[in-house]
Every structure is written in C-alpha cells, then in structure tokens.
Amino acid sequence: MRPLVVVLIVLFTSLAFSQNDPGVLEDPSDLPAPVLPVMPAPTVKPLPWQNIPEIKEAVVGQPRIGLYAGWTRLVFDVPKGSTVQVTPEGFGITIGFSGLQVRGGLALKSPPSSLSPEVQGWSLSSGPLGSTATIRTRYPLRAGGGGWKMLHLPAGLDSLNDRLVLDFSEAFANRQTLQAPPLQLFPFPVEVVLDPGHGGKDPGAVGSVMEKEVNLQVTHKVQGLLEAAGATVVLTRLGDTVFSDDKRTDLQHRASLGVSPRKVLVSIHANSLAKQSALAGYGVETWWHPNHPESQHLARTLQSSMLEWTSAFDRKVRTAPFVVIRNSQVPAALIEMGFVSHPVDGENLLSAGYLDRMAYGIALGIQRFVLSQAPVPSTP
Ligand SMILES: [Zn+2]
C-alpha cells in the first residue's frame, strides 16, 4: 500500500474515534468500524438433491456436499442400520464406518484444491474392519462441540438409506439442552447489577434476533440463577423500557447503579457487523475498562466460563471506555454474546440451548469472581 494511503487511513480512523462523544460510547458498535476486507460473495451450492437409490451392498461412497454462506455440509449416505463412530480431533474429524467398504475401490479423496472456506477436503479408505473417512477443517474444532455439528438420520419416508449429516462452521457453538447443577449458595450476602443493553426505542443490533430482546432474555435467566444462589439482583431495566431517551443520561444512569456494596456490574449485549463483512464476525468477547483494579479479572473470569459452557468461538477479552463500565464504581464488564449478523452465530442466538448455556456461563462467572474476592477468614 502506498504511504499516502496508509496516512489517510490512519488519519481517518483516529478522526472517527475522536468524533465519538465519550459520553455516549455504549458498546463496540460505537467504535470505529473494524477495517475488514470486503468479502467476496461465497460460492453457494446447495446440497445436491439426488434420488439416492437404496444402497444394498455394504459400501460407503463419496459425500454429497452443500456450500452455503458461512458453513459447509457433507452428507454420507450409508445402508440402513449402519454403525458409525465419529471422533473430532484438532483440525477435523474421523468417521469409522463398521463393516462398510469404499465403493468402487480401496480409497477415494476430494480434489487437492480447498473445498470451501470451512473445509479443506475429505478422504475415504478401506481397512480390515470397515472404512474410515477423514474430514479436514480449516480451523481447529473446539472441545464441547464448537465448530461443527452432526445428525445421524435413520432411513425413513424421505430416504431409503441412513444419512450422516455433518455441518462445519467455526461459528457453531453448543446448542444442546443445558444440564448443569444449580449454583452453590453464596456464603455471605451478595448484591450484583445486571444491565441488559439498549431497550425502548433503541433496539441495538438487528439481525437474526433483536438485540434488546435477547439481552433482556439472557439477563432474566442470569438473574434467576443468581437469585436461586441467594444473591440480590438489581436490573438497570425491567422490561422494554429505558430510564431516559437521552442516550447520555440513560447510560450514565445505568453506570450509577454500580456502587458499593454491590459486587459487580455486568452489561449484556449482542454484536453485529455490516452486511458486506458479516461473515467475518462470530463468537464471544468481553470488554473491561480500568474503572476498577479488579475489572480485568472479572472480564477474564466471565469470558472463560462463557466459553466453557457454550464452546463458542473465543474473541478474547478487550478494553474500551464504554460509559456503563467506565463510570461504574465497582468491577464491571460488558459481554458480547455473539453476532446477530452472522448466518450461523445468528442461529446460536435463536437457540434456547445456547442462551441457557450463555446465561449459566455468565452467572457462574459472576459467582466465581465474587467468591474469589471474598476476604480469607483469619485464623485465630
Ligand atoms: Zn449493544
């Protein structure tokens, strides 16, 4: 890039930042837009529908492949009643097809060029007990099911064969029904502030869901979990309302609730990117500000417990002077639960399983932080 262009970009970026009135900096959407390459339109090739005849021999052939914006689907058609074993590991998964041989030979594989933005390629080979397929992804799969999902569909009305359906996107998080113990009871009185971002005339980000609604929904779940553990929870808004339609007054009011003896203020948001770069934004991030010496610790604790329970993509802990966290007097953090603008992450935010997991991760993170701050009992 020529130096003049670089200087102009730097100048423009710093101007854009300084023009933001710090009194109304609310969440990442108020920061200068990230410089992202304009994404070329993805090659969308829907899954080829073939009237697959019944597979009568013990064989497995090459997968059918569907390419979509933000994700890729592979489908293996196998004889009715087949046993398959799927193992994720690192950059990909291995599938064992017991007792099935590769159709028409000992091995098959995809062409050497990359299959899609998500999948590098696949291969299939026969062994003494059956055959093995390997699918290589272009990103590491995450523990707990992050980065892919699977469906094993039995033969039925719409298919004469069993189908193993595998979907890949780095944005896939765990959407399974939450099974978790209740939080432990707090051993001392605890009061916390939860701030569901936006509300009233301000919807926040709009995409797969309306941000103000999903923020409130998750906040109520977190509230329920913390109250069941004996905490008192103060909300900055109770429904689809705001304290003031003047943004500065409203944000300042929310921040003013973050006072002692309350232990923390946690602001709950969802993210979005402009349409042309929407595929580049997915995952969970937590923001902090040095308003309090323990805010960074709070942000790290929240980020790690959210990832632990959702297997979402990690966009890390970041810092910015958003009003609500900057002006809180107690440790504060602002959470971004995912992108309403991404085709897969947007679906995460529509999933009850994902939202329950997110709420549990937030509540557990708050509890872990509060307990870590408790004074160590002195020994007499
Ligand atoms: Zn927001």
Side-chain angles (χ1 to χ4, degrees):
M1 203 183 285
R2 290 163 57 194
L4 179 64
V5 178
V6 175
V7 168
L8 282 175
I9 288 177
V10 169
L11 192 66
F12 176 76
T13 310
S14 53
L15 274 177
F17 193 82
S18 64
Q19 278 167 1
N20 272 310
D21 176 350
V24 293
L25 263 183
E26 183 167 24
D27 66 12
S29 64
D30 294 327
L31 297 178
V35 182
L36 292 169
V38 173
M39 309 273 286
T43 324
V44 174
K45 275 205 307 192
L47 194 68
W49 169 251
Q50 297 153 18
N51 210 354
I52 314 278
E54 185 175 358
I55 303 171
K56 291 185 174 152
E57 302 153 284
V59 293
V60 54
Q62 65 178 63
R64 290 184 283 139
I65 293 160
L67 306 179
Y68 304 88
W71 60 288
T72 300
R73 169 169 284 181
L74 279 78
V75 179
F76 288 94
D77 299 286
V78 289
K80 198 172 165 178
S82 294
T83 307
V84 298
Q85 193 180 3
V86 179
T87 314
E89 202 186 329
F91 284 72
I93 62 167
T94 305
I95 310 159
F97 297 100
S98 310
L100 303 185
Q101 295 302 302
V102 176
R103 176 183 279 138
L106 286 176
L108 287 172
K109 65 177 176 181
S110 56
S113 59
S114 185
L115 199 75
S116 75
E118 293 80 32
V119 178
Q120 188 70 41
W122 58 268
S123 62
L124 196 54
S125 61
S126 290
L129 299 174
S131 52
T132 304
T134 304
I135 298 168
R136 294 178 313 285
T137 51
R138 299 181 60 166
Y139 54 87
L141 304 182
R142 301 181 295 276
W148 69 297
K149 68 186 175 74
M150 177 184 84
L151 262 178
H152 191 181
L153 297 171
L157 290 177
D158 61 338
S159 170
L160 297 168
N161 306 304
D162 288 1
R163 283 152 297 168
L164 183 64
V165 181
L166 298 150
D167 293 341
F168 296 93
S169 167
E170 197 166 31
F172 277 120
N174 191 339
R175 299 174 184 169
Q176 310 219 341
T177 305
L178 173 69
Q179 286 179 315
L183 299 188
Q184 66 179 99
L185 288 175
F186 283 102
F188 47 81
V190 169
E191 193 171 332
V192 304
V193 185
L194 299 179
D195 172 41
H198 312 276
K201 286 180 192 158
D202 170 17
V206 178
S208 65
V209 293
M210 207 179 276
E211 187 195 341
K212 66 174 183 178
E213 289 174 2
V214 78
N215 294 346
L216 189 62
Q217 200 184 342
V218 172
T219 299
H220 282 148
K221 290 176 195 279
V222 177
Q223 176 187 19
L225 290 162
L226 290 172
E227 285 178 349
T232 302
V233 177
V234 176
L235 300 185
T236 59
R237 64 177 173 103
L238 298 176
D240 188 17
T241 52
V242 286
F243 176 74
S244 166
D245 280 332
D246 175 60
K247 195 49 104 177
R248 180 190 304 266
T249 310
D250 187 59
L251 292 174
Q252 187 46 47
H253 170 72
R254 294 176 194 235
S256 73
L257 299 177
V259 286
S260 183
R262 292 167 184 159
K263 305 288 187 196
V264 296
L265 182 153
V266 175
S267 188
I268 297 177
H269 288 251
N271 224 330
S272 76
L273 277 180
K275 199 174 175 188
Q276 71 272 19
S277 44
L279 294 182
Y282 48 86
V284 171
E285 65 200 26
T286 305
W287 296 79
W288 63 281
H289 181 266
N291 71 308
H292 187 284
E294 287 300 315
S295 288
Q296 184 180 18
H297 175 207
L298 171 63
R300 288 186 187 284
T301 308
L302 286 165
Q303 180 74 2
S304 76
S305 72
M306 285 188 288
L307 296 178
E308 179 185 329
W309 285 90
T310 61
S311 296
F313 178 71
D314 182 8
R315 289 176 56 86
K316 315 283 183 188
V317 164
R318 300 159 182 232
T319 180
F322 302 132
V323 177
V324 170
I325 56 177
R326 186 185 70 210
N327 291 354
S328 164
Q329 289 175 27
V330 298
L334 185 147
I335 286 165
E336 292 285 350
M337 304 184 283
F339 284 73
V340 303
S341 47
H342 189 279
V344 173
D345 214 8
E347 292 286 319
N348 291 334
L349 291 167
L350 278 168
S351 146
Y354 180 76
L355 297 180
D356 284 344
R357 288 173 171 280
M358 178 57 67
Y360 191 83
I362 295 170
L364 185 64
I366 290 174
Q367 179 166 71
R368 283 176 179 163
F369 174 80
V370 169
L371 295 179
S372 78
Q373 301 291 297
V376 179
S378 55
T379 39

